[in-house]
C-alpha cells in the first residue's frame, strides 16, 4: 500500500487518552487500512508518550473476529441481518416486555464499550431516563461502578458531600506519597490520569519519598522508596494505625474545617501497633518507619486504586486515606491533592449542593444490599433474571461474562433471556449468548470528544475526527439507540438528527454535549486539544467544604463498617490464613480487551507456596474456589508475598469470574469481592 496519510487522534482505550498519529492507506480493493501507529510528539499533554494498549488501535480495528453487520438469533444461531430487521425485532420484543411487565423489567448495562463513545454514552443515558419516565420507576441500572469503584463515590459523598470530588495527586510538587493498591505504571492512575508514569514517580521519589503498599512487588513498587506487602484487604490496618498516631501526635494541620474529630478519635482508640501489624501481616517496623517518614515531611498524600476498591475493606481503606490527607493538610493544597473543576460541566461556576447520602434502593432479590447512586449491584443480575424481574437486557458495550461475578451462575441466566441485545465490535463469549448483536463505529471510525473530562490529569478537552470509513455496515451508536427509541415510541431530544448518514450529524451530536463548556465545540474541534490553566488550590472546593461545616471525618456508616471489620479481624488474630488471590492489571491488556497482545493468563505464586503445593514454574495450575475453577500457568516468583497469589482479570480461557461469587457482596454499596478471595491450587495432572 502506498500514499499513506498521517492523521492525528487520541487513544480511547483507557481514560488517560494519549495523543496518537495513525497512518492510513487504501489497499488494492480501495478499503482503508491502518498501517502504522505511533505516539504524537506534538500532543500538548502526552508529549510523545504511549503504551502498548494505545499502539494496538489498529489491531482492534482489524481484529479477525470483528463484527461489521447486525446479527440476530434465528433457530438458535446468530445470523447477519439488515439493520431494519434487527431493530424492528428488538423494538417489538421491548414493547412486549413493557406492555406485559413494565419498563422496570428491562435491565440496562452502561458498559465500558460505549463508555468512551461520548455521543453514544449520552444516548444510553437518554434511553434509560426515557424508560424510567415511561414506567414511573427507574429500571435496573448496572455499570462498572459496582465492579471496581463504589468506595470512591461512597467516600466522596459521605466525607466531602459531593460525588464529583475525586482527589488527584499533585504529581509536580508532591514529596511524600503512599500508593495503596494501585499500580499507575500499568494503569496510568485509577481515575487520576498520568502520562509517562515513570517520570513523575521517579521525580516524586527524588524530591522526597514514595511508598507502595501492595502484596505484589508491582512495576510501581520497583520505582518506590519503600514497599510494604500486607495480606490482601488488610491495608486498612496500616492506615487506621497511622491515622490514630497522627491524631494523637501529629502532624495534624488540616487546610479546611473539619467535623467529627472526637468521634473519629473514639472509633480508632486502642488500635495499637502490634494489632495493626498483625492484622496487616507486616513487620511492626514497616509501620513505625512509615510514621517516621510522615513526621519528617510533616504531611502525606494517600492514593488508592482498584487493589483497594475491589477488596472487602474498600470503604474503610479509601475513607482512612481521605482522613489522613485531610488531617495532614493535603486536600486541595500544593504538594497534596487537587480536584478537577470540570470542563464540560464547570463545578467551580455554581454553588455545589451537599449530597452526602449515596444510598438508593437496590435489587429486590438482594434486599439487604443498598444500591448506590441509582446503580444496582452487578451481582444481582442473575438472581433478578431467575426471579423473572428482568425479562430483557440491553447491554451497551459490556463483556458481561468477563466483568460480572460468578460466570457459572450468570451464563445460564443470560441464555434464558428472550431479549439480550449487545452492542459490540468484536465477537466474544457474551455476544455468543446474545439474541441480537449490534456493531457500532469503533474509535477510529467516529469523531469524538474526551467525554470523561474529570478523569483527566488536566483541565482540558480533546477532539478527534473519524480516521477511516466504517467497516461493513457499522453505524453510530447514538443513531442505533435513537432508532430503537423511535420504534418503541420513547421521546427523543430535539437535537438528535434523523440519521448518522447526514453530513455533520456525528459532529452535531458532539456539539450538543458541550453547550456550557469552557470552550466551544468548534474551538476544540479546530484545535484538536484545548488545555486551560487551572486555579489551584481551587477556591470552589474550600468554599464547598466551609458551607457544609467541614470535612466529615466520621460518617456513621463508615465508622460502623470499620468497627465491624476491626472486630472480625481482631477475633481472628493468631489463626492461620488461607492462600488467597489478588486481581492484577497487565501492561499489554485492558480488562476484557486486547487479548491479542499476548499477556499471559498466569498465576504469580511465592516459591514457598508453590513448593508446598507441588507446583513448578511454567506448569499448568488448577485454581479453584467454591464457585468454580480455571487453569493458569505458574509464575513462581518472590515478588509476591507468601500466602498470596496474583491472577490477571479479563482473560477468556482463564476467566477469573469463574472464581468469584454473587454472594460475596459489600452490603453498603453492592460491590463484589474481586480480590482477597481464598483459593486452592494444584498442579494439573500430566
Amino acid at each position: 500500500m502506498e500514499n499513506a496519510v498521517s492523521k492525528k487522534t487520541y487513544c480511547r482505550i483507557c481514560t488517560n487518552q494519549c495523543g496518537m498519529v495513525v497512518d492510513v492507506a487504501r489497499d488494492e480493493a480501495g478499503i482503508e487500512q491502518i498501517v502504522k501507529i505511533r505516539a504524537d510528539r506534538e500532543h500538548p499533554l502526552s508529549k510523545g508518550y504511549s503504551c502498548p494498549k494505545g499502539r494496538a488501535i489498529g489491531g482492534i480495528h482489524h481484529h479477525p473476529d470483528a463484527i461489521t453487520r447486525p446479527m440476530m438469533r434465528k433457530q438458535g444461531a446468530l445470523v447477519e441481518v439488515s439493520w431494519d430487521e434487527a431493530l424492528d425485532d428488538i423494538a417489538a420484543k421491548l414493547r412486549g416486555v413493557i406492555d406485559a411487565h413494565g419498563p422496570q423489567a428491562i435491565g440496562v448495562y452502561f458498559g465500558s464499550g460505549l463508555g468512551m463513545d461520548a455521543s453514544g454514552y449520552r444516548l444510553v443515558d437518554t434511553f434509560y431516563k426515557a424508560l424510567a419516565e415511561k414506567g414511573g420507576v427507574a429500571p435496573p441500572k448496572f455499570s462498572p461502578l459496582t465492579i471496581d469503584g463504589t468506595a470512591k463515590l461512597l467516600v466522596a459523598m459521605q466525607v466531602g458531600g459531593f460525588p464529583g470530588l475525586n482527589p488527584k495527586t499533585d504529581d509536580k510538587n508532591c514529596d511524600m506519597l503512599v500508593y495503596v493498591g494501585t499500580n499507575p505504571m500499568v494503569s496510568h492512575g485509577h481515575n487520576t490520569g498520568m502520562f509517562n508514569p515513570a517520570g513523575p514517580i521517579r521525580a516524586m521519589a527524588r524530591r522526597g519519598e514514595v511508598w507502595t503498599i501492595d502484596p505484589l512487588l508491582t512495576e510501581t513498587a520497583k520505582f518506590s522508596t519503600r514497599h510494604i506487602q500486607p495480606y490482601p484487604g488488610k491495608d486498612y490496618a496500616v492506615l487506621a494505625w497511622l491515622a490514630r498516631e497522627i491524631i494523637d501526635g501529629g502532624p495534624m494541620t488540616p487546610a479546611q474545617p473539619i467535623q467529627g474529630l472526637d468521634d473519629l478519635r473514639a472509633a480508632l482508640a486502642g488500635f495499637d501497633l502490634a494489632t495493626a501489624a498483625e492484622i496487616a501481616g507486616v513487620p511492626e517496623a514497616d509501620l513505625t518507619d512509615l510514621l517516621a517518614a510522615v513526621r519528617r515531611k510533616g504531611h502525606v498524600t494517600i492514593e488508592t486504586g482498584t487493589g483497594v476498591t475491589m477488596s472487602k475493606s474498600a470503604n474503610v481503606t479509601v475513607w482512612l486515606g481521605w482522613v489522613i490527607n485531610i488531617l495532614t493538610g493535603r486536600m486541595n493544597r500544593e504538594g497534596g491533592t487537587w480536584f478537577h473543576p470540570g470542563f464540560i460541566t464547570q463545578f467551580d461556576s455554581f454553588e455545589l449542593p451537599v449530597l452526602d447520602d449515596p444510598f438508593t434502593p437496590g435489587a429486590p432479590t438482594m434486599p439487604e444490599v443498598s444500591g448506590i447512586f441509582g446503580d444496582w449491584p452487578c451481582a444481582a443480575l442473575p438472581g433478578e433474571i431467575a426471579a423473572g424481574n428482568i425479562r430483557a437486557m440491553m447491554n451497551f458495550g459490556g463483556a458481561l461474562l468477563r466483568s460480572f461475578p460468578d460466570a457459572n451462575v450468570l451464563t445460564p441466566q443470560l441464555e434464558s433471556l428472550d431479549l439480550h441485545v449487545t452492542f459490540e465490535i468484536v465477537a466474544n463469549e457474551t455476544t455468543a449468548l446474545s439474541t441480537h448483536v449490534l456493531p457500532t463505529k469503533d474509535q477510529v471510525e467516529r469523531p469524538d470528544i474526551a467525554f470523561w473530562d474529570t478523569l483527566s490529569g488536566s483541565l482540558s478537552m480533546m477532539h478527534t475526527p473519524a480516521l477511516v470509513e466504517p467497516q461493513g455496515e457499522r453505524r453510530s451508536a447514538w443513531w442505533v439507540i435513537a432508532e430503537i427509541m423511535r420504534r418503541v415510541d420513547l421521546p427523543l431530544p430535539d437535537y438528535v438528527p434523523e440519521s448518522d448518514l447526514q453530513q455533520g450529524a456525528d459532529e452535531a451530536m458532539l456539539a450538543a454535549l458541550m453547550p456550557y463548556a469552557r470552550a466551544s465545540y468548534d474551538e476544540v474541534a479546530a484545535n484538536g486539544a484545548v488545555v486551560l490553566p487551572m486555579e489551584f488550590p481551587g477556591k470552589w472546593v474550600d468554599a464547598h467544604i466551609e458551607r457544609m461545616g467541614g470535612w466529615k471525618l466520621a460518617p456513621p456508616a463508615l465508622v460502623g463498617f470499620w468497627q465491624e471489620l476491626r472486630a472480625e479481624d481482631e477475633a481472628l488474630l493468631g489463626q492461620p490464613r488461607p492462600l488467597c488471590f489478588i486481581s492484577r492489571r497487565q501492561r499489554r491488556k485492558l480488562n476484557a480487551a486486547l487479548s491479542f497482545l499476548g499477556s499471559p493468563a498466569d498465576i504469580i505464586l511465592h516459591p514457598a507456596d508453590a513448593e508446598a503445593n507441588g507446583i513448578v514454574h511454567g506448569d499448568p495450575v488448577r485454581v479453584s474456589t467454591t464457585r468454580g475453577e480455571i487453569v493458569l500457568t505458574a509464575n513462581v516468583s518472590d515478588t509476591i508475598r507468601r500466602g498470596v497469589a496474583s491472577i490477571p482479570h479479563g482473560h477468556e480461557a482463564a476467566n477469573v469470574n469463574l472464581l468469584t461469587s454473587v454472594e460475596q457482596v459489600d452490603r453498603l454499596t453492592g460491590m463484589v469481592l474481586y480480590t482477597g478471595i481464598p483459593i486452592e491450587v494444584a498442579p494439573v495432572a500430566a
Side-chain angles (χ1 to χ4, degrees), residues 512-593:
L513 302 177
M514 302 178 56
Y516 308 110
R518 295 177 189 270
S520 70
Y521 173 76
D522 289 341
E523 181 183 350
V524 176
N527 289 280
V530 172
V531 183
L532 300 176
M534 182 175 57
E535 179 189 63
F536 177 53
K539 294 179 182 176
W540 62 282
V541 178
D542 284 356
H544 170 68
I545 299 305
E546 288 173 5
R547 279 195 305 274
M548 61 179 275
W551 299 105
K552 298 181 179 179
L553 298 180
L558 291 171
V559 170
F561 198 98
W562 145 255
Q563 290 169 335
E564 292 177 15
L565 193 64
R566 174 183 179 178
E568 179 182 319
D569 281 341
E570 287 184 350
L572 294 173
L573 290 176
Q575 297 186 25
R577 291 172 168 172
L579 178 68
C580 65
F581 85 84
I582 56 173
S583 194
R584 169 168 38 103
R585 290 187 184 273
Q586 295 176 295
R587 181 169 171 78
R588 302 180 67 83
K589 189 164 179 25
L590 180 68
N591 300 333

Side-chain angles (χ1 to χ4, degrees), residues 94 97-98 101-110 124-143 360-364 371-377 381 384 389-394 396 490:
L94 282 174
V97 171
I98 291 170
H101 307 284
Q104 64 270 24
I106 301 170
V108 180
Y109 181 57
F110 287 64
V124 175
D125 189 57
T126 301
F127 170 79
Y128 177 79
K129 289 177 178 175
L131 282 178
E133 185 175 345
K134 187 178 185 71
V137 178
K141 177 189 175 188
F142 305 93
S143 82
T360 52
I372 184 165
F373 216 58
D375 272 34
W376 285 20
L381 179 57
E384 288 295 303
N389 297 332
I390 292 180
R391 303 286 179 139
M393 189 68 192
M394 298 295 295
F396 293 103
L490 294 174

Side-chain angles (χ1 to χ4, degrees), residues 81-125:
V81 296
S82 69
W83 275 108
D84 278 336
E85 184 176 0
L87 296 175
D88 284 345
D89 192 64
I90 292 168
K93 287 183 167 60
L94 282 174
R95 286 195 303 268
V97 171
I98 291 170
D99 291 344
H101 307 284
Q104 64 270 24
I106 301 170
V108 180
Y109 181 57
F110 287 64
S112 298
L114 288 193
M116 302 294 284
D117 179 337
S119 55
Y121 192 87
R122 168 60 68 87
L123 257 290
V124 175
D125 189 57

Side-chain angles (χ1 to χ4, degrees), residues 490-511:
L490 294 174
L492 272 169
D494 293 338
Y495 65 79
V496 179
E498 285 295 318
S499 172
D500 60 331
L501 301 180
Q502 295 174 359
Q503 185 70 26
D506 282 340
E507 289 77 7
M509 283 295 295
L510 293 174

Side-chain angles (χ1 to χ4, degrees), residues 317-397:
T317 307
V318 173
W319 165 52
L320 291 170
W322 276 56
V323 163
I324 292 170
N325 288 344
I326 292 166
L327 293 179
T328 64
R330 295 295 87 187
M331 286 298 210
N332 193 37
R333 289 297 183 268
E334 186 175 295
T337 65
W338 60 279
F339 295 87
H340 203 294
F343 195 102
I344 295 175
T345 300
Q346 301 180 46
F347 293 145
D348 56 351
S349 68
F350 59 92
E351 187 173 295
L352 296 182
V354 175
L355 303 173
D356 56 4
D357 182 8
F359 305 115
T360 52
T365 56
M366 300 179 71
E368 73 284 1
V369 178
S370 302
I372 184 165
F373 216 58
D375 272 34
W376 285 20
C378 287
L381 179 57
E384 288 295 303
I385 297 173
N389 297 332
I390 292 180
R391 303 286 179 139
M393 189 68 192
M394 298 295 295
N395 173 18
F396 293 103

Side-chain angles (χ1 to χ4, degrees), residues 45 49 105 145 151 178 182 190 211 332 334 357 419 434 441 455 501 551 560 613 642 647 650 686:
L45 295 173
Y49 173 77
L145 183 64
V178 178
T182 187
H190 185 228
W211 291 54
N332 193 37
E334 186 175 295
D357 182 8
L419 181 65
S434 302
K441 295 175 183 175
L455 302 187
L501 301 180
W551 299 105
N613 290 279
R642 190 170 184 178
I647 302 175

Side-chain angles (χ1 to χ4, degrees), residues 155-360:
V155 173
M157 293 182 72
Q158 294 256 287
V159 176
F162 188 68
L165 295 181
N166 174 32
K168 301 172 185 287
T169 301
D170 177 17
D171 299 325
K172 294 180 180 179
N173 299 293
C174 185
D175 63 1
M176 182 64 208
L177 175 64
V178 178
Y179 284 125
V180 188
T182 187
N183 186 14
M185 282 296 298
V186 170
S187 66
H188 301 91
H190 185 228
N191 297 342
T192 58
M194 180 183 280
F195 301 107
N196 194 12
I201 294 170
R202 282 172 166 161
M204 285 186 284
R206 285 195 299 268
R207 281 195 300 272
E209 297 186 34
V210 175
W211 291 54
T212 291
I213 300 178
D214 197 296
L216 178 67
L217 181 65
T218 61
E219 293 86 345
T220 299
K222 293 174 184 177
F223 286 96
S224 300
T225 311
R226 185 78 172 264
H227 179 211
I228 298 177
Q229 292 182 282
Y231 197 71
K234 309 305 179 187
D235 33 31
Y236 81 90
V238 177
L239 299 189
W241 179 80
L242 187 61
R244 189 188 64 75
E245 287 291 319
I246 288 171
I247 291 171
D248 288 348
M252 192 164 71
T253 54
Q256 299 87 19
I258 58 175
Q259 52 184 310
L261 180 61
D262 289 341
D263 291 336
L264 177 63
R265 180 186 288 110
L268 297 174
F271 195 66
D272 59 27
L273 173 63
T275 301
E278 189 173 355
I279 289 176
V282 299
E284 293 182 10
D286 281 351
L287 276 65
T288 56
D289 289 352
L290 175 58
L291 176 62
V294 171
R295 286 179 169 158
R296 280 196 304 273
K297 292 295 180 182
H299 52 253
V300 62
T301 301
I302 309 291
E303 183 175 325
T304 59
T306 54
V308 167
T309 60
M310 298 168 74
S311 74
K312 181 177 179 179
S313 60
N315 302 327
V316 169
T317 307
V318 173
W319 165 52
L320 291 170
W322 276 56
V323 163
I324 292 170
N325 288 344
I326 292 166
L327 293 179
T328 64
R330 295 295 87 187
M331 286 298 210
N332 193 37
R333 289 297 183 268
E334 186 175 295
T337 65
W338 60 279
F339 295 87
H340 203 294
F343 195 102
I344 295 175
T345 300
Q346 301 180 46
F347 293 145
D348 56 351
S349 68
F350 59 92
E351 187 173 295
L352 296 182
V354 175
L355 303 173
D356 56 4
D357 182 8
F359 305 115
T360 52

